[in-house]
Amino acid sequence: MGSVASTQIQRRKTISTEKKTLVDLRQDSGEDFPGNDYRPTDRKNWMAGLNTEKVHINKIVWPGTHDSATNKIGIRCITRPFAQCQSLSIYNQLVKGTRVLDIRIQEDRRICHGILVTYSFDVVIKDIKKFLSETQSEIIILEVRTEFGHEDPPEFDKYLEDQLGEFLIHQDDHVFDKSIAELLPKRIICVWKPRKSPQPKAGSPLWSAGYLKDNWIDTDLPSTKFDSNLKHLSEQPAVSSRKFFYRVENTVTPKADNPILCVKPVTGRIHGYARVFINQCCSKGCSDRLQIYSTDFIDDDFVDACVGLTYARVEGKA
């Protein structure tokens, strides 16, 4: 019993130290970067606001959400706090400026996070279609994966094509060099990541798993995650030369050996440091590698930071 208590005391000290490290970094380095002062006048249409002929796919810093469809996961006030990573619906995330969605499904096409489940994927489709009907020039990256420990939904690739076919941008390496205007009226890059079913092939309406990569760091320590994100990002090719999307996640994850198991207070340890991270990317010379930047509980400031750096790239200031 004493060793358990001692371990927990040390864990709390480590977390406190790491939180202070980020506080000190913000004080010492600030949050400035090219485009830092830019604010989109309409987040719902922020891509359109940047001039779709000038915005190329490989210049965009894509604001994304982690575990996007968990706003109603589990049972409210009972199991939900242990798995909820977003409080907004898919539609409202898109309206706020989110452009990358991370959707986890199980065999019956319901959204899940581990053993907890929520609504059907049909709800996601409905929200996406509603958003697309209300906008003209916004491109979405939709990542759908079968959750670990679950089976693939039968013929899910055909389902995606049937539901979204008119909007799908086909798998093609040339897409990365094209402008938004050149891709329209197609609007969705859909990456399908089954566990056992065949991967989408070149030229398919769907994109295979290799086109969206990341280095998942499973930790609840904010400075550790921050530094690991910088390290892995620095090892990537520049966005101008690579033919895949690379994601950095501004999140930390509750750990079973820690008394705090609810998502929001844990991920809050890193949540407010998105601008500091972009600042560090610029100061360390790897901002030209930043592409998809995702978070839990997305807010206006996170979106604005991503859009600001995108604006600077489009205007030749970054």
Side-chain angles (χ1 to χ4, degrees), residues 249-299:
E249 294 196 310
N250 186 55
T251 63
V252 288
T253 309
K255 306 302 295 178
D257 64 348
N258 193 285
I260 302 176
L261 297 177
C262 297
V263 173
K264 197 161 192 176
V266 173
T267 200
R269 296 168 187 165
I270 198 173
H271 185 269
Y273 293 92
R275 289 182 183 272
V276 180
F277 183 79
I278 297 175
N279 167 277
Q280 289 299 293
C281 289
C282 293
S283 67
K284 295 183 183 300
C286 59
S287 64
D288 61 341
R289 296 160 173 79
L290 187 59
Q291 191 170 41
I292 296 176
Y293 195 25
S294 294
T295 192
D296 292 325
F297 302 103
I298 197 163
D299 56 26

Side-chain angles (χ1 to χ4, degrees), residues 2 15 58 67 86 94 150 159 163 190 196 208 216 220 228 276 290:
I15 291 168
N58 61 13
D67 260 313
Q86 306 298 329
L94 293 169
H150 293 273
Y159 166 81
Q163 293 293 320
C190 184
K196 297 178 181 178
S208 56
W216 174 248
D220 63 350
S228 295
V276 180
L290 187 59

Side-chain angles (χ1 to χ4, degrees), residues 230-245:
L230 275 174
K231 175 182 180 294
H232 289 299
L233 180 65
S234 70
E235 295 167 351
Q236 303 305 313
V239 293
S240 59
S241 64
R242 70 176 180 241
K243 301 301 181 184
F244 62 88
F245 295 101

Side-chain angles (χ1 to χ4, degrees), residues 7-297:
T7 299
Q8 290 304 320
I9 291 170
Q10 184 56 49
R11 288 282 295 165
R12 288 176 181 271
K13 287 181 178 179
T14 301
I15 291 168
S16 179
T17 299
E18 294 223 356
K19 289 167 70 174
K20 186 177 185 303
T21 298
L22 292 184
V23 170
D24 291 344
L25 181 61
R26 174 187 277 151
Q27 291 177 345
D28 294 341
S29 301
E31 299 179 329
D32 291 337
F33 55 84
N36 181 57
D37 294 333
Y38 181 83
R39 299 291 185 276
T41 56
D42 178 9
R43 293 185 185 91
K44 184 177 181 178
N45 292 282
W46 69 260
M47 288 183 170
L50 293 178
N51 186 341
T52 58
E53 294 183 356
K54 294 173 66 176
V55 181
H56 288 73
I57 296 303
N58 61 13
K59 288 185 178 179
I60 298 169
V61 181
W62 301 75
T65 49
H66 166 244
D67 260 313
S68 306
T70 54
N71 57 306
K72 294 185 178 180
I73 196 85
I75 302 171
R76 184 179 181 182
C77 298
I78 300 176
T79 57
R80 187 170 300 170
F82 302 108
Q84 184 185 40
C85 299
Q86 306 298 329
S87 56
L88 300 175
S89 68
I90 294 297
Y91 171 76
N92 285 327
Q93 289 176 43
L94 293 169
V95 169
K96 188 172 283 290
T98 301
R99 293 296 176 267
V100 181
L101 299 171
D102 159 23
I103 310 295
R104 324 285 180 90
I105 57 170
Q106 60 183 26
E107 190 174 10
D108 61 1
R109 296 182 186 169
R110 292 177 72 188
I111 310 299
C112 62
H113 186 172
I115 62 171
L116 298 180
V117 297
T118 182
Y119 43 73
S120 166
F121 190 80
D122 291 338
V123 175
V124 175
I125 294 289
K126 181 180 177 181
D127 277 8
I128 289 173
K129 286 183 174 179
K130 180 181 180 183
F131 175 76
L132 294 179
S133 72
E134 296 172 355
T135 58
Q136 295 183 332
S137 304
E138 306 304 299
I139 304 292
I140 299 168
I141 298 176
L142 172 63
E143 178 197 34
V144 189
R145 72 177 90 172
T146 304
E147 178 72 311
F148 180 79
H150 293 273
E151 296 296 320
D152 299 325
E155 299 188 328
F156 193 71
D157 53 346
K158 295 179 181 179
Y159 166 81
L160 287 170
E161 292 177 30
D162 288 344
Q163 293 293 320
L164 299 172
E166 64 181 300
F167 304 109
L168 293 175
I169 299 166
H170 287 216
Q171 182 183 149
D172 180 357
D173 285 359
H174 293 100
V175 165
F176 294 93
D177 299 315
K178 291 185 177 181
S179 68
I180 290 175
E182 291 176 296
L183 295 176
L184 296 175
K186 303 297 186 181
R187 308 278 297 279
I188 301 174
I189 295 171
C190 184
V191 181
W192 166 224
K193 296 182 174 182
R195 292 190 60 77
K196 297 178 181 178
S197 303
Q199 289 281 334
K201 297 179 180 179
S204 163
L206 306 177
W207 294 60
S208 56
Y211 280 102
L212 204 171
K213 301 179 182 180
D214 55 34
N215 290 97
W216 174 248
I217 302 104
D218 188 13
T219 181
D220 63 350
L221 300 176
S223 180
T224 296
K225 182 66 174 282
F226 189 100
D227 291 343
S228 295
N229 280 343
L230 275 174
K231 175 182 180 294
H232 289 299
L233 180 65
S234 70
E235 295 167 351
Q236 303 305 313
V239 293
S240 59
S241 64
R242 70 176 180 241
K243 301 301 181 184
F244 62 88
F245 295 101
Y246 183 78
R247 172 172 51 208
V248 173
E249 294 196 310
N250 186 55
T251 63
V252 288
T253 309
K255 306 302 295 178
D257 64 348
N258 193 285
I260 302 176
L261 297 177
C262 297
V263 173
K264 197 161 192 176
V266 173
T267 200
R269 296 168 187 165
I270 198 173
H271 185 269
Y273 293 92
R275 289 182 183 272
V276 180
F277 183 79
I278 297 175
N279 167 277
Q280 289 299 293
C281 289
C282 293
S283 67
K284 295 183 183 300
C286 59
S287 64
D288 61 341
R289 296 160 173 79
L290 187 59
Q291 191 170 41
I292 296 176
Y293 195 25
S294 294
T295 192
D296 292 325
F297 302 103

